Amino acid sequence: MSAASEGGRGGAWARVLAPLLMGVLALGAWEMAVRHFGVPAYILPGPVDIARTLAADGGSLAASLMVTLRITLLALLIAVVSGVALSVLFSGSRWVEMTFLPYAVMLQVTPVVSIAPLIIIWVDNVQAALLVCAWIVAFFPIVSNTTIGLNSTDRNLLDLYRLLGASRWQTLVHLRLPAALPFFLAGLRVSGGLALIGAIVAEFVAGTGGASSGLAYRILEAGYQLQIPRMFAALALISLSGVAIFLALSLVSHLLLRRWHESALPGER
Amino acid sequence: MNPPGLPVSGAPLLALRGVTKRYANGTVAVQGVDLGIARGGFVSLLGPSGCGKSTLLRMIAGLVPPTAGGIAWEGGRRPSLGFVFQDPTLMPWRTALDNVALPLRLAHVPKAERQERARAMLALVGLAEAAMRYPRELSGGMRMRVSIARALVTEPEVLLLDEPFAALDEITRFRLNNDLLRLWEARRFTAVFVTHSIFESVYLSERVVVMAAHPGRLHADIALEAPAARDEAFRTSPAYAALCRTVSGALEGAMAA
């Protein structure tokens, strides 16, 4: 990257430092406001209070975080496998797509909060029920993006493959799947965040206690006991996990596309 | 100037009889084309846009089925074809080398062999150094060279080109014209070259087939008596200018028809 782009369009450092500085300022203002107006901790705790709680309760919260993350990542994995498989089916036949796409959309637009209670009744195992809820919200962006990607393969390249006598399998593996990769990865980044939301929402609805409960239950529990700083601490962990998932998936996307796709190339202008 | 039809000598490699393409919306892209193409020749299909020259080429390639008429190959067997599109049509996620090796890969040629052949082909189009680069990292002219290398890597008997140099600047186009001629002289494949450039058609081919539009049909078939050596000297010679005038006259006739 050239010096001009460092200064003019914001270099790598500015990209990290600017939002970080903004965050520190906001947290400082929050802390000062809480102290200045004497807001009690059970209404709104200050960041220092929350950090202290996070440090003290970190162990028990981290265990719950692991439970939630396990559900999230497993649901994302299942969403990727089932989503890509469904997209290949969709793009292979107009009839299959016409028949099933409306139901995939229906599943997507129905709020997961409203179906979660049913799923929890129907599915015996709570963990499995949570997994189903998280999967429902995570799989649609993958299906819709990957289907668009598979269908927008360069026509001339498809003609070339036909001319070269490529089999359907060869065309899929060597041409259509790689062409769909940028679309799939964009969907994956959205789905990563949605899987976490789905898992949290389902945990709220299930409201299961005990050793194997996730972060959402910790929030409910802290709320009942008016341990507001602990609620915020759990909330902070959820946000940070969401950010971490997004960054990790962005990194995967960058590594896979950096040599060839427009979206991953440095802006040389 | 001969009337459209079969060349006089020998059985043609490819014979088109009454080839017609009518699209579902009623548009007639190509109407009753009779054309014979001899083995080893370099034939240009020249015409204004909408004359169906690209459609005709795609029908020859077997990418588009004709609505009526027949396309017959010598011996009843379609020979191996190479096709060069108007755009380079490379896979952006593959290196130049892998793009060139694609036809071999799809034909299950072992990796070592296909890489060796693709490398040799890239060297032949002057891109030995660029083997490991991705299409994004190549210039427009270099991408087109990769595309030509890919079409020739299987050593096809017939090379079909659909306005391959239309999007390039003139300097690059001249250079690629010369490269293409050099490859043709070395390999002697049968070339069918679609273009809307009079100068390009005259420079490259032994025979120019002029087409008229709406509906697309043959208008004139011109055999070019040109010197064996086609080079930059030919490009500025009076003979070249005279040939361009002849073809230009035929094209004007096609536009008026």
Side-chain angles (χ1 to χ4, degrees), chain B residues 3-206:
Chain B
L6 305 176
V8 227
S9 62
L13 171 67
L14 166 68
L16 279 67
R17 301 239 176 242
V19 169
T20 298
K21 181 66 194 179
R22 194 190 320 269
Y23 285 109
N25 63 12
T27 319
V28 180
V30 176
Q31 172 93 53
V33 166
D34 294 309
L35 184 68
I37 291 173
R39 182 177 287 278
F42 199 123
V43 181
S44 283
L45 298 178
L46 174 73
S49 39
C51 72
K53 53 192 189 295
S54 288
T55 307
L56 195 59
L57 194 72
R58 284 171 169 267
M59 285 194 282
I60 293 173
L63 288 171
V64 177
T67 318
I71 296 171
W73 294 96
E74 183 189 63
R77 177 195 62 91
R78 196 189 85 167
S80 53
L81 297 179
F83 199 101
V84 181
F85 295 86
Q86 181 165 357
D87 301 313
T89 314
L90 303 175
M91 297 178 290
W93 56 89
R94 292 255 178 250
T95 59
L97 185 71
D98 286 346
N99 266 291
V100 173
L102 174 76
L104 304 173
R105 178 168 194 172
L106 294 178
H108 305 288
V109 173
K111 185 169 181 174
E113 187 193 335
R114 68 175 185 246
Q115 291 222 335
E116 191 189 312
R117 282 169 68 182
R119 233 175 250 287
M121 200 57 232
L122 269 176
L124 207 56
V125 297
L127 284 181
E129 308 296 307
M132 298 322 284
R133 281 157 78 182
Y134 285 78
R136 185 83 213 312
E137 300 159 351
L138 303 173
S139 69
M142 290 161 96
R143 278 182 227 171
M144 195 39 90
R145 281 169 207 266
V146 174
S147 189
I148 292 171
R150 178 182 62 194
L152 291 177
V153 75
T154 53
E155 301 185 14
E157 293 167 62
V158 180
L159 184 65
L160 306 172
L161 305 105
D162 187 5
E163 299 189 41
F165 309 138
L168 300 175
D169 64 88
E170 196 168 66
I171 296 169
T172 310
R173 193 162 69 224
F174 281 6
R175 198 143 21 122
L176 282 170
N177 283 167
N178 290 335
D179 288 352
L180 181 60
L181 278 177
R182 206 166 36 75
L183 288 168
W184 175 66
E185 276 152 15
R187 301 247 174 149
R188 282 292 159 176
F189 44 81
T190 306
V192 183
F193 188 91
V194 165
T195 179
H196 55 233
S197 162
I198 294 166
F199 307 110
E200 199 170 57
S201 69
V202 171
Y203 188 68
L204 293 175
S205 31
E206 303 177 316

Side-chain angles (χ1 to χ4, degrees), chain A residues 95-115:
Chain A
W95 277 101
V96 175
E97 186 181 349
M98 276 196 300
T99 312
F100 288 101
L101 193 61
Y103 295 101
V105 173
M106 213 146 106
L107 206 57
Q108 163 70 11
V109 295
T110 310
V112 70
V113 198
S114 59
I115 18 178

